[in-house]
Structure formats: C-alpha cells, structure tokens
Amino acid sequence: MPTDKHTSKKSYAGSKVLQIDGDSLQQGVSVDCVIFGFHDGNMKVLLNKFSYYTQWMLPGGFVGKEESIDTAADRVLKNRTGLENVYLKQFHTFGDWKRTKLPENEEMLILRGFENPKDREKHWLMQRFVSIGYYALVEYSKVKIETNEDEEIAWFDLKDIPELYSDHNEILEKALYTLRIRLSISPIGYELLPEKFTMTEMRIIFETILQKKLDRRNFQRKMLAAGLVYKLDEVSKKFGVKDSALFSFDKEKYEKALTDGFLILE
C-alpha cells in the first residue's frame, strides 16, 4: 500500500503528458528515475499515477530536442521532489523492442478522447521509446512533493511495490541490483539518512539492498573500524524502549571512500 499519498492541485512544468507537443521532443527517448528514500525503518520508492490510468509508474519524462538526458533527469527529480543537487546516477539503458507496451499507451489516449484509431496511431506516445534509467538517493524529510490535478504521488515500501506500468518493475530491480554491486566497492547511506541516525537504521538500508540479514554487532564494528561514522553523545528510543546510540557520518572519510573504494562487507 502507498504511504504519504499526495493529491494536491499544484502544477509544474510538463506535468500534463498528453498535452505535450511531440515536435518539441527528442523522438523515442525518455528518462525514468528510481527515487529511493528511507523512513520509519523502511526503504521506499516514489511512484506516481495519473487519474486517467490505473497503474502506478516510476517518475519519468521525455527529453527535449535542445536538452541533454542528464538535464531531463534533473528536471524530473526536481519536479517530483523539489530537490536539486542530490545524488543522481545514470545506471542502465532500457531498449528492448517490446518494452513499450503500446496497448497501455493506447488506453491512456482513449481515456483522454483520442477515440479515432488513426489519431491514436499518429500520436507520438504510440511510438517505441528507449529509456535511460537513473536512480536517486534522497533524504526523505527534505522531499517536498508537488502534484497537479490529474495525478497522485506516493511513497511505497520496497516490499509493497505493485505491478507497474510497462517495464518499470524491471527498471526498479535493475536499480536495486546496481546498488547491490555498488555496495561491494563504495559506501552508501549518507544520502538517505538524516544527520543523526541509529546504527539499526543504517544496517536496515544495507540489508534491504543486499537482500540478506547482517550480524548486528559485526556490522557496527566494521562501520566504526572503517571510520565512516562516529558515535555521538546522544541516544534515541526510536526502535523500542531501550536507548539506541546515535551516529553521524564523517563526511571527509565518506567522500574519500567513494573515491578510493569500500570493501567493508567482504
């Protein structure tokens, strides 16, 4: 089930997909963004759904003729989260010739008044699209979601992802696989966690991405030994009645690990 569902009537540039002039676009190219957050002990993904269509989908958009794909992805991220200069990485190109489910796109057109078959066939949305996949790591509390009158946006727990539009489930799985590979050589967590966090929260992020349980004590020992985090003289009761120590990242060492590599989990 979705959490933190938004249906406000604020608008943003490019939100009404079916009203976009196809001549202004780089034909057949789109971007899809897997936006990860972490809240209440759960890894989450931001999804959106248009009122004239039944399926949820990853936030995405089309590329303008005078726009780079990176700029298009930045635009999508800002429109959906209100954030700029966050961790956003291109991870894969999705170009299977069957990935664009034309009946799904046709359903959208029919529901918006394109009943004439010839009009539907000529519409730019009915062509094949190659999508460039990006993943973003954002701090949940900083996200400021804006929607328009014909859509919903919601956070979903990773364990509760529904059947998505087109190949978006595959895109999400590929993003998770990419993060899993990244964890073998580079740290993660700084972009997802608040300034102060418990070791349990950090471990849950690692476990979710790796899809396996990690020994609590061993995990903490390795993190502290690597010097990526340090213990604060503060505690939290977020995960039960017992006080949990709070930690913070050593940003300088974290950024060095991003450059030099990270083998803490081997």
Side-chain angles (χ1 to χ4, degrees), residues 180-197:
R180 200 170 301 133
I181 297 300
R182 178 191 162 187
L183 268 182
S184 67
I185 58 174
S186 181
I188 199 170
Y190 180 82
E191 303 86 0
L192 294 166
L193 290 166
E195 181 181 356
K196 301 174 183 179
F197 54 88

Side-chain angles (χ1 to χ4, degrees), residues 21-254:
D21 180 6
D23 291 336
S24 68
L25 303 176
Q26 180 61 48
Q27 297 297 302
V29 180
S30 62
V31 295
D32 287 301
C33 297
V34 184
I35 302 173
F36 292 105
F38 183 79
H39 182 63
D40 282 345
N42 290 295
M43 282 283 286
K44 295 178 179 291
V45 176
L46 194 65
L47 301 177
N48 67 280
K49 180 176 71 172
F50 295 106
S51 61
Y52 48 81
Y53 193 61
T54 59
Q55 285 182 288
W56 290 88
M57 60 187 72
L58 295 169
F62 304 100
V63 181
K65 283 186 176 179
E66 299 181 357
E67 181 181 45
S68 73
I69 56 175
D70 286 346
T71 301
D74 284 334
R75 171 171 50 80
V76 169
L77 184 66
K78 182 180 179 181
N79 287 341
R80 292 306 187 186
T81 67
L83 301 177
E84 295 182 273
N85 301 318
V86 301
Y87 191 95
L88 179 67
K89 293 290 184 182
Q90 183 184 139
F91 69 94
H92 194 71
T93 299
F94 298 86
D96 189 285
W97 73 277
K98 290 184 178 181
R99 71 167 299 271
T100 302
K101 308 295 193 299
L102 296 183
E104 294 179 338
N105 290 0
E106 186 175 38
E107 181 182 342
M108 293 187 199
L109 294 172
I110 292 174
L111 291 175
R112 291 300 293 263
F114 292 84
E115 290 87 355
N116 188 312
K118 290 186 178 180
D119 290 339
R120 296 200 300 271
E121 290 172 5
K122 294 178 181 178
H123 196 279
W124 59 268
L125 192 61
M126 292 299 292
Q127 66 182 303
R128 172 189 174 186
F129 278 88
V130 171
S131 183
I132 314 301
Y134 287 79
Y135 69 83
L137 307 177
V138 301
E139 186 179 332
Y140 181 93
S141 64
K142 293 182 178 179
V143 172
K144 296 179 176 62
I145 292 176
E146 293 188 357
T147 66
N148 77 84
E149 66 275 8
D150 61 3
E151 70 175 350
E152 300 174 32
I153 300 180
W155 287 103
F156 281 74
D157 291 350
L158 268 178
K159 62 180 181 295
D160 295 324
I161 300 297
E163 185 66 29
L164 302 178
Y165 165 79
S166 186
D167 61 348
H168 287 198
N169 289 93
E170 177 186 340
I171 294 175
L172 172 55
E173 286 301 316
K174 186 68 174 181
L176 282 169
Y177 175 79
T178 303
L179 283 178
R180 200 170 301 133
I181 297 300
R182 178 191 162 187
L183 268 182
S184 67
I185 58 174
S186 181
I188 199 170
Y190 180 82
E191 303 86 0
L192 294 166
L193 290 166
E195 181 181 356
K196 301 174 183 179
F197 54 88
T198 67
M199 192 61 71
T200 297
E201 290 175 307
M202 188 173 186
R203 178 169 47 81
I204 288 173
I205 290 175
F206 276 66
E207 289 179 339
T208 302
I209 295 171
L210 294 172
Q211 296 184 346
K212 67 177 183 179
K213 289 291 184 180
L214 300 173
D215 181 80
R216 178 178 59 84
R217 293 180 180 177
N218 195 40
F219 178 81
Q220 178 168 317
R221 179 182 60 80
K222 287 185 175 182
M223 286 296 166
L224 291 173
L228 300 181
V229 300
Y230 59 90
K231 190 175 181 180
L232 302 172
D233 292 327
E234 300 178 51
V235 296
S236 169
K237 291 186 177 180
K238 193 169 187 178
F239 289 94
V241 295
K242 184 179 179 180
D243 290 346
S244 296
L246 287 172
F247 296 82
S248 191
F249 282 102
D250 184 317
K251 188 176 181 181
E252 183 177 339
K253 291 183 179 179
Y254 187 89

